[in-house]
């Protein structure tokens, strides 16, 4: 499990937690196709995060070494 703002930093979309927060609050991030505005949203392996037209499978990202 990982929080949405931490996930955005992990994949390199947001270099800082502050930038991740603003992206989320601006409605630029979707989780499973629905706009998510809670930066503390806990993601599980089955979730998909979409931002800037790119979709990331949480489980695949967390499994990478």
């Amino acid at each position: 499990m990982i929080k949405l703002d931490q996930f955005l930093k992990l994949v390199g979309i947001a270099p800082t937690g502050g930038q991740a927060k603003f992206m989320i609050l601006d409605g630029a991030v979707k989780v499973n196709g629905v706009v998510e505005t809670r930066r503390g949203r806990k993601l599980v392996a089955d979730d998909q995060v979409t931002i800037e037209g790119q979709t990331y499978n949480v489980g695949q990202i967390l499994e990478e070494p």
Side-chain angles (χ1 to χ4, degrees):
M1 199 175 309
I2 187 171
K3 291 182 182 178
L4 181 56
D5 59 348
Q6 294 172 337
F7 182 80
L8 295 180
K9 290 192 310 183
L10 177 68
V11 296
I13 294 294
T16 68
Q19 288 181 332
K21 174 184 172 181
F22 287 120
M23 293 172 130
I24 295 165
L25 291 176
D26 286 344
V29 180
K30 291 183 180 181
V31 176
N32 301 325
V34 179
V35 172
E36 181 57 72
T37 57
R38 297 173 293 165
R39 66 184 179 134
R41 159 79 187 261
K42 292 180 180 165
L43 302 173
V44 295
D46 292 339
D47 287 333
Q48 291 189 336
V49 176
T50 303
I51 185 163
E52 299 176 353
Q54 180 73 32
T55 300
Y56 301 89
N57 182 301
V58 173
Q60 289 178 340
I61 299 295
L62 295 180
E63 287 178 3
E64 292 179 1

